[in-house]
Amino acid sequence: MLGEFEYLLLSAAARVGENAYGAAIRAEMANATGKPCSIGALYTTLDRLETKGLVETWMGPATAQRGGRPKRMVRITAEGRKAAASFYAAVMRASRGVSWETDGEGVVP
Amino acid sequence: MNGVTDWLADRVALLLDPDEREAVRGDLAESGESGPQAIVGMAGLVARRQAALLWELRPWLALAVAMWAGLILTRQAGRWSHQSATYLWMYLANWRMSDVGNTGFWRLMAQEIGHLLVGCSLLMAGSLAAGIPMGMSQARRNTWVTGALFCGVLAVANLARIPLKPVFAPPILWAIYALLMQPDSCCSRRSVACASAETSGHMFGTI
């Protein structure tokens, strides 16, 4: 089963689509969670997902905006899509009948 | 980035693999992160990479080879120094023209030169045997982990009062540990000449 951060990364990569790469995924994750994503966490998680066969990465083109440096492009594999779908379904099942609205002092399930 | 932070970022980035280094620096440039932020971000990635290496065999193997190679090579160098080098010095200091016609003089000299060459070959073989696994197990990205492990073991040995004097002998510090810190595997070839030269220099310096 995926970890929470792995799922967030896969979701961000899926949202960015065909042009997913490090900086774009990082920005997307920061938008989604409202918290900055460290570049260390991003790249070590990418490596782990690649080792598991859930994503493929390769060096892409360089742009002037990046100081002429190449991008590490990311593509989710079929296994990655299955794993993300499975994680999402598990979260949905676990959340069924539960409300996480707060009363100002704490969480009321 | 200004000059100093740029220089620091370059130094930190050197600890990453070339492809990753370029991609990470490109990402940081694209997201407009300032010098200190970029350095902290890269240092975080480097720390994660180095921590992950502790779970691999390579730095431990390099450390084990360095410690044992240090002990064995120093002992061999000391033996060589005490035997062959002393005889050579005696020959040089007590040499007389009349000895040239003496058969025993030449027989003993040939014997000592033979011992000297065998000792030298053993040292070269030892350096080579130590250099190959270290060169194969060592990469630039492992440098910090291996250095930290080396210092950690020395600290523990010091606390436990384990005698490690041979490891600190000049030939080992100059040749073997410098070799351990070399970034690529071709260092094992360089090491043969380097270790032998440094070891010889040290030994003749002790006569």
Side-chain angles (χ1 to χ4, degrees):
Chain A
M1 184 139 168
L2 288 176
E4 173 202 335
F5 194 83
E6 292 174 334
Y7 178 75
L8 287 172
L9 197 157
L10 284 177
S11 301
R15 263 198 304 276
V16 174
E18 282 299 306
N19 293 320
Y21 65 96
I25 293 172
R26 198 165 157 235
E28 191 63 38
M29 287 175 80
N31 282 340
T33 61
K35 293 176 183 172
C37 165
S38 84
I39 203 148
L42 178 81
Y43 274 88
T44 47
T45 307
L46 262 182
D47 282 355
R48 197 164 58 243
L49 289 173
E50 191 166 27
T51 305
K52 290 179 182 176
L54 305 182
V55 298
E56 290 169 347
T57 70
W58 69 99
M59 297 310 287
T63 63
Q65 188 190 8
R66 299 169 56 83
R69 294 191 163 96
K71 298 171 178 174
R72 183 174 176 186
M73 306 300 291
V74 179
R75 182 189 297 133
I76 305 174
T77 63
E79 284 296 309
R81 291 187 183 282
K82 267 188 218 168
S86 166
F87 183 91
Y88 179 73
V91 170
M92 292 302 284
R93 278 196 303 276
S95 306
R96 202 169 292 152
V98 177
S99 168
W100 294 107
E101 290 172 14
T102 61
D103 63 354
E105 292 180 358
V107 173
V108 179
Chain B
M1 285 193 217
N2 66 34
V4 175
T5 51
D6 216 7
W7 181 84
L8 268 176
D10 282 341
R11 298 282 81 74
V12 175
L14 280 176
L15 293 162
L16 297 170
D17 289 336
D19 279 351
E20 185 165 60
R21 185 188 312 153
E22 291 300 299
V24 166
R25 296 208 70 182
D27 283 355
L28 290 170
E30 188 176 332
S31 56
E33 289 186 36
S34 66
Q37 278 177 306
I39 293 167
V40 169
M42 277 195 292
L45 178 57
V46 168
R48 284 168 186 266
R49 293 273 182 248
Q50 296 288 317
L53 290 172
L54 286 174
W55 297 101
E56 290 183 8
L57 184 62
R58 288 180 173 193
W60 296 101
L61 176 68
L63 180 70
V65 171
M67 298 297 278
W68 284 107
L71 287 167
I72 293 166
L73 285 174
T74 305
R75 185 159 293 187
Q76 179 60 29
R79 193 173 293 165
W80 195 46
S81 173
H82 284 110
Q83 293 176 358
S84 303
T86 307
Y87 274 105
L88 279 178
W89 176 81
M90 285 168 63
Y91 267 95
L92 289 173
N94 301 298
W95 186 84
R96 289 189 306 258
M97 197 60 186
S98 57
D99 291 335
V100 175
N102 190 329
T103 314
F105 170 83
W106 290 109
R107 192 163 48 83
L108 276 173
M109 180 175 269
Q111 197 177 338
E112 288 313 319
I113 288 174
H115 286 156
L116 186 74
L117 291 177
V118 168
C120 187
S121 304
L122 281 173
L123 281 176
M124 288 178 70
S127 303
L128 184 66
I132 287 174
M134 282 191 284
M136 286 166 63
S137 67
Q138 200 49 25
R140 184 187 286 276
R141 67 196 182 105
N142 293 11
T143 301
W144 283 16
V145 166
T146 308
L149 285 177
F150 188 80
C151 293
V153 168
L154 292 184
V156 169
N158 195 31
L159 287 174
R161 296 179 186 282
I162 297 171
L164 284 175
K165 195 178 171 187
V167 178
F168 290 105
I172 301 311
L173 291 179
W174 295 343
I176 304 302
Y177 195 66
L179 165 72
L180 183 72
M181 289 293 133
Q182 290 292 315
D184 52 40
S185 59
C186 70
C187 70
S188 51
R189 288 193 294 276
R190 287 201 303 270
S191 74
V192 180
C194 171
S196 302
E198 296 287 358
T199 307
S200 308
H202 167 68
M203 282 182 292
F204 285 118
T206 61
I207 295 170

